[in-house]
Amino acid sequence: MDYRVREGLPFPMGAHWDGKGVNFALFSRNASKVELCLFADDGQRELARIALPEYSNEVWHGYIEGLAPGQLYGYRVHGEYAPEAGHRFNANKLLIDPYARQLWGELRWDPALFGYEIGHKDKDLSFDERDSAPFIPKCRVVDEGYDWGSDRHPQKAWNETSFYEMHVRGMTMRHPKVRDDLRGTFAGLATPDLLDYVRALGVSAIELMPIHAFVHDQYLLDKGLRNYWGYNSIAFFAPHPQYLSDGGIEEFKRFVAAAHERDLEVVLDVVYNHTAEGSELGPTLSFRGIDNAVYYKLLPDQGRYYINDTGTGNTLDTGHPRVVQMVTDSLRYWVEVMHVDGFRFDLATILGREPDGFSQRNGFFVAVAQDPTLARVKLVAEPWDSGPGGYQLGNFPPGWAEWNGRYRDTLRAFWRGDPGQLPDLARRLTASGDIYDHQGRSPFASVNFVAVHDGFSLYDLTAYNDKHNEANGDDNRDGSDDNRSWNCGVEGPTDQEDIVELRQRQMRNFLASLFFSQGVPLLCSGDEFGATRQGNNNVYCQDNDLGWLHWDHDAAAQAQIRFVQKVIQLRQRYPMLRHGRFLLGRYHETLKVKDVSWINANGEEMTEGEWQDGNARCLGVLLDGRAQATGIVRRGEDDTLLLILNAAAQAVEFCLPKVSEGKSWERLVDTNIPDADAQSFALSAPYLVTARSLLLFVLRTQ
């Protein structure tokens, strides 16, 4: 074919079809030449190498007439191979376009993927001349046009939001209503019965674990394992190819539209902190060969080595304008073109790192804050990384929410029965104002969770004292040892009825605590029916029955699903469970109201001595519906609620408190009798609170 090449434009980045041809634009500050490589439909036969003819503002670009969607391509980038100076150009390596909208094929591990000769005495200082093209995925030109019809973003308010974390394969591989040929794909995830199930739970947002194209690490494949979770991205605009059943990115759009039809938001777990290229001994797949010294943070005066604040071997340099541009372009693409509703940022502390530490005024945060597209979606940070000063809980900019690890730790410790937990429990139940109540942030800055993908499942929290990660092939050394779990007396599965019942109640305690706490709840898929990972708290490599959900629910699992539906419905019914202002426990002189009061078993307010009693394990929380709901000074008109939590090993007789204007207390939830009907109790009546149980009452005024 006689390719007709024109100068093209340096913007937009990536490969873009205009109906007549394709414009290619690739940033590289330090390259000396960029070749576009076109491939046949089989992905193996290289049809042409075309030098991009223009270099404008550090962007190489060219326009090829006649090319159309479906065209496979990659880049070869020429430049200096000088690892000690931070440069690792090697034109023998075919490179993935950082802006590729789709990848075709899977990476096949081979020594040719590395820029240096494996086994050479000089390691990465050596130079490898083998062609990597046969082994690397190809980029694919796409047609971004799509008829969204009447699709709209649900745009749920934060006080209506509850996240449901799920994995594409984990959710679909064993679901009975998903067609066999669609298991493990976005099309499978769009199965009506599956999405209807999620909607029926009552959650408002699906949080998808990473779906950007990622790499399966060679050391895992050698052990017969795979990178199941996907925290190993290599292309931030492309869906993972394995998740596409029909080979087209429209499949993801159809899933999003199906979720939106059910009023469910779609939030992506994104990994902009590192890439799959690893350390200096890793492969050359994309960024390393395009401009290593720009894309990655390198050690000062030791450009051969990478700063490893992520614990993965490298760290993306989001302090560089072009890297910030790539990340924000990616975010906008997923919102504007793919219609997603928000993002959860993995190891988000990385994004705010400056040379002298974490800063809210980092260039990335500034870029996001002024972006009108990103201003209307949900932004959630995982507020830690493995670098120095990496734990930044509560320090993200206003407008961001954060995964609250303190909430997880406190709730686990409290329900395990650890001593001295009441003061911290009170803070966590009220959206951790000690952490987030500054700069005008709201209670919804706190994303509360008890169990997520990383760590024990909810059931395993109640069934294992120790991790059991032997299946991962690392002699049980991987995964956290700080689980704060309690096996209720027996390690692992048991038929002992008293222990089975206690585990079920403990799970209900966790679930009710989660949805009755101020802030935003996050539920991990499967926890609503007691899924187990058999004590493995790090199933990152278990793309199999250990990591997947099983849907053959017994009576106990079905009962737990009903309980989850009930507590979510109650959260939506009673605004005091999702109050828009921090509850401070102060008496308002004008309104004659205290928004929250802490109640002891005598039905009276807690004393200082009781707060300091390390053996105390029972607490009442009185949420007054007359509390000021907005910045306008006026009484609220919501129902008043009483929450009682008892983590003691013995029952506690609790005097239901007197409340002005109240006539009786109506019991809504008792985790000891989860299917009990509502029942009324007189003010000051004693209620026997079962050992290790939770109750919720609403005040009746008539």
Side-chain angles (χ1 to χ4, degrees), residues 481-556:
D481 292 313
D482 182 20
N483 297 293
R484 306 188 190 201
S485 59
W486 177 48
N487 64 17
C488 298
V490 173
E491 187 77 354
T494 181
D495 293 327
Q496 291 182 231
E497 292 185 6
D498 58 334
I499 293 179
V500 170
E501 193 280 330
L502 176 57
R503 289 176 177 176
Q504 292 290 329
R505 188 164 72 250
Q506 284 285 79
M507 284 190 285
R508 291 192 291 269
N509 291 337
F510 280 122
L511 291 163
S513 300
L514 177 65
F515 285 99
F516 296 161
S517 294
Q518 305 296 313
V520 180
L522 169 67
L523 177 68
C524 185
S525 57
D527 283 347
E528 73 273 16
F529 54 77
T532 180
R533 300 174 195 141
Q534 300 175 28
N536 191 319
N537 73 354
N538 191 30
V539 295
Y540 78 103
C541 57
Q542 300 295 334
D543 190 3
N544 51 45
D545 278 326
L546 187 59
W548 303 336
L549 295 182
H550 296 260
W551 298 90
D552 48 344
H553 301 149
D554 59 15

Side-chain angles (χ1 to χ4, degrees), residues 43 53 138 175 177 182 286 319 375 431 448 493 499 546 560 569 682 694:
K138 309 305 183 292
H175 196 285
K177 297 297 185 179
L182 301 182
S286 179
N448 303 324
I499 293 179
L546 187 59
Q560 186 157 308
Q569 289 168 2
L694 177 149

Side-chain angles (χ1 to χ4, degrees), residues 76-332:
R76 298 183 187 274
V77 180
H78 298 253
E80 185 181 14
Y81 188 82
E84 292 177 313
H87 301 307
R88 294 178 179 270
F89 295 104
N90 186 335
N92 298 293
K93 311 305 170 184
L94 188 75
L95 304 174
I96 295 169
D97 181 358
Y99 279 75
R101 272 29 177 187
Q102 186 176 355
L103 298 188
W104 184 93
E106 287 196 22
L107 182 140
R108 292 186 294 124
W109 284 101
D110 187 90
L113 292 171
F114 295 78
Y116 64 95
E117 292 184 29
I118 293 180
H120 193 283
K121 64 180 179 63
D122 293 328
K123 297 183 179 179
D124 59 302
L125 297 180
S126 62
F127 186 80
D128 187 271
E129 297 182 353
R130 284 170 289 190
D131 184 5
S132 68
F135 311 103
I136 197 163
K138 309 305 183 292
C139 309
R140 191 174 192 178
V141 177
V142 303
D143 178 0
E144 293 183 1
Y146 184 76
D147 182 4
W148 283 97
S150 59
D151 180 73
R152 62 174 183 82
H153 293 273
Q155 291 190 297
K156 293 287 187 179
W158 276 108
N159 69 346
E160 298 177 339
T161 297
S162 51
F163 294 111
Y164 184 73
E165 185 190 40
M166 68 166 69
H167 188 282
V168 175
R169 287 177 63 78
M171 199 74 179
T172 61
M173 290 302 292
R174 289 289 181 259
H175 196 285
K177 297 297 185 179
V178 175
R179 278 176 21 198
D180 288 347
D181 59 321
L182 301 182
R183 297 187 187 279
T185 69
F186 297 123
L189 210 55
T191 299
D193 290 86
L194 190 153
L195 285 179
D196 289 343
Y197 165 84
V198 176
R199 187 70 191 100
L201 280 178
V203 296
S204 71
I206 291 170
E207 182 177 304
L208 284 180
M209 291 180 65
I211 59 98
H212 290 166
F214 61 87
V215 170
H216 295 288
D217 308 82
Q218 185 173 17
Y219 80 93
L220 289 177
L221 296 174
D222 290 344
K223 294 192 292 185
L225 302 171
R226 291 165 66 84
N227 189 329
Y228 173 51
W229 284 348
Y231 291 95
N232 205 26
S233 301
I234 195 59
F236 298 117
F237 294 77
H240 188 55
Q242 187 182 15
Y243 296 165
L244 299 172
S245 67
D246 63 6
I249 63 173
E250 295 79 9
E251 183 174 331
F252 179 82
K253 298 178 181 180
R254 290 192 292 270
F255 156 70
V256 172
H260 286 176
E261 282 179 15
R262 291 159 176 82
D263 206 28
L264 290 166
E265 293 185 312
V266 176
V267 174
L268 301 186
D269 190 341
V270 289
V271 189
Y272 296 113
N273 54 77
H274 75 282
T275 79
E277 291 185 303
S279 72
E280 69 276 3
L281 299 179
T284 296
L285 308 175
S286 179
F287 309 92
R288 174 171 284 140
I290 293 171
D291 206 330
N292 183 71
V294 167
Y295 277 109
Y296 294 116
K297 291 185 176 182
L298 307 178
L299 288 176
D301 303 320
Q302 297 185 71
R304 177 183 178 184
Y305 301 107
Y306 296 81
I307 292 174
N308 187 21
D309 290 331
T310 64
T312 64
N314 67 54
T315 303
L316 268 181
D317 187 3
T318 50
H320 191 282
R322 285 295 189 178
V323 182
V324 171
Q325 178 191 4
M326 178 190 69
V327 173
T328 52
D329 283 351
S330 170
L331 294 170
R332 279 190 298 272

